[in-house]
Amino acid sequence: MNLEPTKIPGCVVVRPERHADDRGHFARTWDGAVLAEAGLNGVVAQCSVSYNAAAGTLRGMHYQAAPYEEAKLVRCTRGALYDVCLDLRPGSPTFRQWHGETLTAENGVALYVPEGCAHGFLTLEDATEVFYMISAPYAPDAGRGVRWDDPAFGIEWPAEVRVIHPRDAGYPWV
């Protein structure tokens, strides 16, 4: 797997190296040692799946407050989505900046979202499924979020938001 840095420190695009033969292909999608070598958190405490029935479904922008921060590796296993990492670390040189990446079942690309960053995505196809590998157990009392459309961040979503949970739509402006 290849790690490609983004402008957000610690946020990397993970591109699998596919080894193909007449059966199809094989690719490594997680390697804790490779992540640790790159200074990233290689621990997996839990894995989760999100199924989204309709294109235009937005989930986010979510994060866990200190001391329960979590890193995530996000991969699309069916359909397509636009995945966003938003830097909310006050001391970061990219504070309030974001990186977006198109993840599809076909391209196999994943996005690593480091601790202290919010995460969200917009589905681009019906029946999109997302697989998460997460570095820390979910702590419900530490769950937080920011508005997906806050002009303070200027996230450029590639399609119209048609489905959003009231909680995500109701997060406060910065």
Side-chain angles (χ1 to χ4, degrees):
M1 64 186 213
N2 293 310
L3 303 180
E4 297 175 7
T6 69
K7 69 179 179 181
I8 308 297
C11 176
V12 298
V13 176
V14 179
R15 295 195 191 277
E17 293 179 25
R18 291 183 171 168
H19 302 281
D21 60 25
D22 58 343
R23 299 169 293 175
H25 68 264
F26 176 86
R28 183 174 37 148
T29 60
W30 179 267
D31 188 321
V34 169
L35 293 171
E37 272 182 34
L40 305 173
N41 187 340
V43 172
V44 177
Q46 71 181 47
C47 296
S48 300
V49 175
S50 167
Y51 173 78
N52 306 275
T57 299
L58 188 130
R59 291 185 187 248
M61 300 295 297
H62 305 143
Y63 67 98
Q64 291 278 112
Y68 302 100
E69 298 99 328
E70 58 189 13
K72 297 178 184 175
L73 182 80
V74 183
R75 186 168 184 263
C76 181
T77 54
R78 179 170 35 170
L81 61 104
Y82 188 70
D83 203 46
V84 173
C85 171
L86 172 63
D87 193 343
L88 294 178
R89 301 167 293 188
S92 172
T94 57
F95 178 59
R96 293 190 178 173
Q97 294 182 37
W98 59 276
H99 174 80
E101 196 73 33
T102 299
L103 311 181
T104 70
E106 288 75 30
N107 71 19
V109 171
L111 188 65
Y112 181 95
V113 178
E115 296 92 337
C117 291
H119 170 257
F121 64 82
L122 178 67
T123 59
L124 304 174
E125 296 180 8
D126 291 344
T128 292
E129 188 174 81
V130 186
F131 180 74
Y132 304 77
M133 298 175 79
I134 306 166
S135 67
Y138 178 64
D141 293 339
R144 303 284 190 279
V146 295
R147 286 190 61 104
W148 62 279
D149 59 349
D150 194 322
F153 309 130
I155 299 171
E156 298 172 11
W157 299 100
E160 179 185 355
V161 173
R162 294 186 292 192
V163 180
I164 186 168
H165 191 278
R167 177 197 61 191
D168 293 347
Y171 283 128
W173 301 95
V174 173

